[in-house]
Amino acid sequence: MELLAPAKVNLGLSVLGRRADGYHELHTVFAALRVADRLFLEAIPEGVELEVRGSNLPANPDNLVYKAVVAYLNAVGWPGGVKVVLEKHLPLAAGLGGGSSDAAAALRALSKLYPAPANLPALALKLGADVPFFLEAGLAEARGVGERLRPLEPLEVHLVLLNPGIAVSAAEAYRELRPEEWQPELDLPGILHAIRAGEEPPYWNTLEQPVFRLVPYLQELKLELRRTGLRGVLMSGSGSSLFGFAQDAEEARFVAQKLRTRYPRFWVVATQTVS
């Protein structure tokens, strides 16, 4: 069985404040993209075998895919084992949800390999706050720590993604965040209207300033993406990926190639939202 594990970007990310449990209250919009990791799964008599290609990620019980497999098989009583090959195409610690998407793809695949009345959203949430979104990746408003989801009508929009190969820890980003930097809820209708109309969306990412303090070079790259003519240039999640909207596929490909020429060691792709 073969599945894609799509990346996501945050179409705005507002940190509203700190909760009593120590986590931060968020308001964001997740948008799944057509660029993705790939998973291959097959049933085996017993045990869990994991192979990772295209990355130095550990193929051991610390890997989120491995944890997802074990969580599902535990929940359904281990009707058999599974072999998983994870083919990585997305950069690590990039704000694109790659690991969470991989884990969700494993859960979806296992529910078909070994069908059983398992509560996939509950299993997903135990693996990570972003994982439930990727069970049915599309476009969704998210609250809480990202687990309270409301599906939205899909967008069809082209964008360019750039990642400089700098890993940014979400934990570090939140530790650097100051209370005076907390922000109000996003203007969701305004954001969606602007994106559909090809205008500059009225959004922000609260984590940009703390991350830019940690990695000032990312702020320079954001300005560089703006100079290419992309709209709505923003950091996704806790970084280090940046994205911006193009008018169409042709412009996205042109800008991506221009950026690849200027930054040959960066990961740069032209892609679009899942519609």
Side-chain angles (χ1 to χ4, degrees):
M1 181 182 296
E2 178 181 343
L3 284 90
L4 293 177
K8 62 81 181 168
V9 288
N10 296 78
L11 304 182
L13 171 59
S14 198
V15 180
L16 310 181
R18 186 184 292 274
R19 297 158 29 137
D21 61 8
Y23 290 97
H24 287 82
E25 187 75 18
L26 308 179
H27 186 214
T28 188
V29 178
F30 291 131
L33 307 178
R34 294 197 178 277
V35 60
D37 290 336
R38 195 177 298 268
L39 282 82
F40 305 87
L41 295 91
E42 63 176 297
I44 58 176
E46 60 181 15
V48 177
E49 298 177 16
L50 174 61
E51 177 186 348
V52 180
R53 298 174 183 170
S55 170
N56 59 0
L57 269 178
N60 62 28
D62 290 330
N63 188 295
L64 200 57
V65 169
Y66 196 107
K67 292 179 179 179
V69 170
V70 170
Y72 183 87
L73 293 177
N74 276 337
V76 301
W78 287 85
V82 64
K83 178 179 179 179
V84 184
V85 177
L86 169 59
E87 195 176 87
K88 288 294 292 181
H89 297 280
L90 304 176
L92 306 178
L96 301 176
S100 296
S101 188
D102 296 339
L107 291 176
R108 289 188 284 116
L110 284 164
S111 70
K112 297 174 183 176
L113 275 179
Y114 295 117
N119 186 336
L120 291 189
L123 292 175
L125 183 55
K126 288 181 180 178
L127 294 166
D130 289 355
V131 182
F133 165 72
F134 289 106
L135 291 176
E136 296 184 29
L139 188 74
E141 180 184 23
R143 296 179 180 274
V145 295
E147 86 289 5
R148 299 205 315 270
L149 299 167
R150 182 171 72 91
L152 301 169
E153 284 295 315
L155 286 170
E156 287 192 39
V157 64
H158 295 270
L159 64 156
V160 175
L161 285 171
L162 178 147
N163 183 275
I166 300 170
V168 175
S169 159
E172 277 187 292
Y174 280 102
R175 276 197 297 271
E176 181 67 21
L177 178 64
R178 301 165 182 167
E180 60 267 25
E181 293 173 321
W182 296 342
Q183 292 178 284
E185 291 194 352
L186 297 168
D187 173 12
L188 181 58
I191 291 169
L192 297 179
H193 172 78
I195 292 173
R196 290 191 169 101
E199 300 168 356
E200 190 76 15
Y203 59 24
W204 58 82
N205 181 341
T206 307
L207 294 178
E208 274 194 348
Q209 288 310 308
V211 170
F212 289 170
R213 286 196 295 273
L214 294 169
V215 189
Y217 181 50
L218 292 178
Q219 189 163 19
E220 296 177 31
L221 288 176
K222 181 177 180 181
L223 294 174
E224 180 64 25
L225 261 66
R226 280 181 173 166
R227 284 192 284 267
T228 67
L230 295 175
R231 294 172 290 106
V233 175
L234 198 69
M235 185 180 79
S236 183
S238 57
S240 59
S241 296
L242 300 158
F243 70 92
F245 297 114
Q247 293 292 342
D248 50 33
E250 183 179 358
E251 185 189 19
R253 287 192 295 266
F254 175 80
V255 171
Q257 186 54 51
K258 186 176 178 180
L259 290 167
R260 286 190 205 102
T261 301
R262 178 156 188 175
Y263 303 107
R265 296 186 179 181
F266 288 7
W267 182 83
V268 181
V269 295
T271 186
Q272 65 186 103
T273 51
V274 173
S275 57

